[in-house]
């Protein structure tokens, strides 16, 4: 159980790889491009440097963590010795099904296959593999090295043994695993996304501005981050995808993405990663705008 493969070197994937490697696991980080892997490893190194500067880890521990990670551009090669595979690709159903079909061919039948999906049905994902009882959801929170919660999602066929193993594995990372059942949005996003969507509707209807909405929720509801800023950090495209999954799953209009959110995603304004969402994240203005508003 000390060999973990992580598919996807983006925000969630590199965070998951970082967490496992920091706790002594050998990690095979897999991405379709060398560029993506390089960027992912740079992010991990930068986050480790921050931990060193805060004296949370030593320079030696940082190097040990980096040494525990090996990169691959081939799924078949990357998962060869893995006991657990954690898929952390883009939140797209067809892409995830494609990856799990490939994993079914490449992995021994006793390899545990986990998905970091934030909303897509684990039962649906498991339907494309020959042993669906080994498929489970392992939904980490962002930023992964910092956030302690892991939603453990049982598909319809997920076995008790696999669930117990993944619960214990999460605890080994000093995370707090919470077991939930397989329904659209699970628990975290079934509650969070309608709130974010309602905040966007509030802006769309002209009730208040971005800063005002976030300030009300921060100071009035004791949220550490306002819902619009949080949406920017999650990615507006990700929020939109999750809402669509829930809307299609429940056939309930309350989950329909706000037209403003849809238009922003179409315009490429997806939040922090694009440089602009509800806030402007351009480097030249980031300190002035974000720090002034949220670090008072």
């Amino acid at each position: 159980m000390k060999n973990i493969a992580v598919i996807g070197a983006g925000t969630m994937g590199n965070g998951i790889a970082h967490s496992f490697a920091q706790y002594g696991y050998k990690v095979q980080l897999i991405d379709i491009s060398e560029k993506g892997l390089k960027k992912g490893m740079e992010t991990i190194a930068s986050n480790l440097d921050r931990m060193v500067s805060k004296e949370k880890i030593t320079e030696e521990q940082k190097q040990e963590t980096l040494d525990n990670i090996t990169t691959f551009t081939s799924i078949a090669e990357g998962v060869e010795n893995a006991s657990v595979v954690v898929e952390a690709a883009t939140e797209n159903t067809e892409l995830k099904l494609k990856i799990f079909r490939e994993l079914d061919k490449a992995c021994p039948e006793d390899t545990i296959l986990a998905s970091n999906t934030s909303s897509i049905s684990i039962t649906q994902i498991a339907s494309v593999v020959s042993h669906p009882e080994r498929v489970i959801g392992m939904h980490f929170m962002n930023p992964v090295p910092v956030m302690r919660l892991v939603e453990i999602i049982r598909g319809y066929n997920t076995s008790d043994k696999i669930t117990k193993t993944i619960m214990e594995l999460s605890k080994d990372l000093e995370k707090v695993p919470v077991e939930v059942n397989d329904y659209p949005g699970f628990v975290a996003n079934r509650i969070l996304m309608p709130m974010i969507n309602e905040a966007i509707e509030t802006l769309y209807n002209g009730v208040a501005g971005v800063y005002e909405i976030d300030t009300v929720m921060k100071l009035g509801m004791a949220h550490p981050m306002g819902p619009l800023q949080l949406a920017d950090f999650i990615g507006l495209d990700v929020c939109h995808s999750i809402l669509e999954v829930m809307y299609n799953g429940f056939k309930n209009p309350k989950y329909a993405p706000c037209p403003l959110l849809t238009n922003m995603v179409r315009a490429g304004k997806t939040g922090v990663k694009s440089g602009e969402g509800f806030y402007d994240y351009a480097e030249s203005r980031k300190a002035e705008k974000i720090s002034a508003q949220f670090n008072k």
Side-chain angles (χ1 to χ4, degrees):
M1 198 60 69
K2 280 293 183 180
N3 287 299
I4 309 292
V6 178
I7 299 177
T11 301
M12 296 305 295
N14 70 59
I16 294 167
H18 171 163
S19 295
F20 275 109
Q22 187 179 333
Y23 282 83
Y25 289 85
K26 297 298 182 183
V27 178
Q28 292 82 253
L29 181 59
I30 307 163
D31 200 276
I32 58 173
S33 73
E34 289 288 356
K35 182 179 179 181
L37 289 168
K38 181 181 178 183
K39 184 177 180 181
M41 291 302 297
E42 287 173 350
T43 299
I44 293 170
S46 176
N47 289 336
L48 288 168
D49 283 337
R50 191 176 297 112
M51 295 176 76
V52 171
S53 69
K54 293 181 179 180
E55 299 184 346
K56 292 185 176 181
I57 62 171
T58 65
E59 187 68 38
E60 182 181 3
Q61 288 172 318
K62 168 199 164 183
Q63 193 56 51
E64 287 174 354
T65 299
L66 291 173
D67 289 344
N68 280 336
I69 304 173
T70 308
T71 60
F72 296 85
T73 54
S74 163
I75 287 180
E77 292 178 8
V79 303
E80 188 174 357
N81 298 311
S83 299
V84 177
V85 179
V86 182
E87 170 272 317
T90 304
E91 192 72 352
N92 177 283
T93 302
E94 290 307 314
L95 174 60
K96 290 184 186 295
L97 295 180
K98 179 178 180 292
I99 290 171
F100 273 78
R101 288 189 187 99
E102 191 168 347
L103 290 175
D104 192 43
K105 295 177 182 178
C107 299
E109 63 182 40
D110 60 347
T111 305
I112 298 174
L113 306 179
S115 176
N116 181 59
T117 179
S118 52
S119 62
I120 296 168
S121 169
I122 296 302
T123 303
Q124 182 181 8
I125 291 172
S127 70
V128 302
V129 306
S130 55
H131 292 276
E133 70 278 359
R134 62 176 169 158
V135 179
I136 193 166
M138 202 175 186
H139 179 208
F140 290 85
M141 304 294 128
N142 184 32
V144 179
V146 175
M147 300 293 281
R148 297 186 67 203
L149 174 67
V150 183
E151 257 188 322
I152 306 299
I153 305 102
R154 291 187 65 141
Y156 189 84
N157 293 304
T158 306
S159 73
D160 291 340
K161 179 182 178 181
I162 296 300
T163 302
K164 182 179 179 181
T165 298
I166 293 300
M167 294 283 282
E168 292 303 317
L169 181 64
S170 301
K171 292 175 184 177
D172 200 35
L173 303 180
E174 295 190 36
K175 303 296 187 186
V176 179
V178 177
E179 181 183 335
V180 305
N181 291 318
D182 186 21
Y183 292 94
F186 316 131
V187 171
N189 282 317
R190 185 170 179 171
I191 295 170
L192 174 63
M193 287 301 152
M195 183 192 73
I196 286 177
N197 203 39
E198 193 62 32
I200 299 170
E201 286 278 1
T202 303
L203 177 66
Y204 180 59
N205 292 329
V207 178
V210 171
Y211 177 62
E212 289 73 20
I213 291 168
D214 276 355
T215 300
V216 167
M217 296 304 292
K218 286 177 63 184
L219 301 185
M221 311 304 164
H223 289 196
M225 185 182 293
L228 300 176
Q229 188 194 21
L230 178 57
D232 276 354
F233 275 81
I234 293 170
L236 302 190
D237 53 338
V238 175
C239 293
H240 193 274
S241 294
I242 295 170
L243 284 163
E244 285 194 317
V245 167
M246 292 195 294
Y247 177 63
N248 293 328
F250 291 116
K251 307 300 181 187
N252 190 324
K254 76 176 183 179
Y255 298 112
C258 174
L260 175 58
L261 175 61
T262 300
N263 278 343
M264 291 179 72
V265 171
R266 287 173 176 167
K269 297 182 178 181
T270 56
V272 175
K273 59 188 172 186
S274 72
E276 184 178 359
F278 293 106
Y279 294 89
D280 187 344
Y281 299 91
E283 288 297 327
S284 61
R285 296 182 292 279
K286 185 185 295 184
E288 176 186 348
K289 292 191 173 183
I290 302 303
S291 296
Q293 292 172 358
F294 293 100
N295 296 322
K296 290 181 179 179

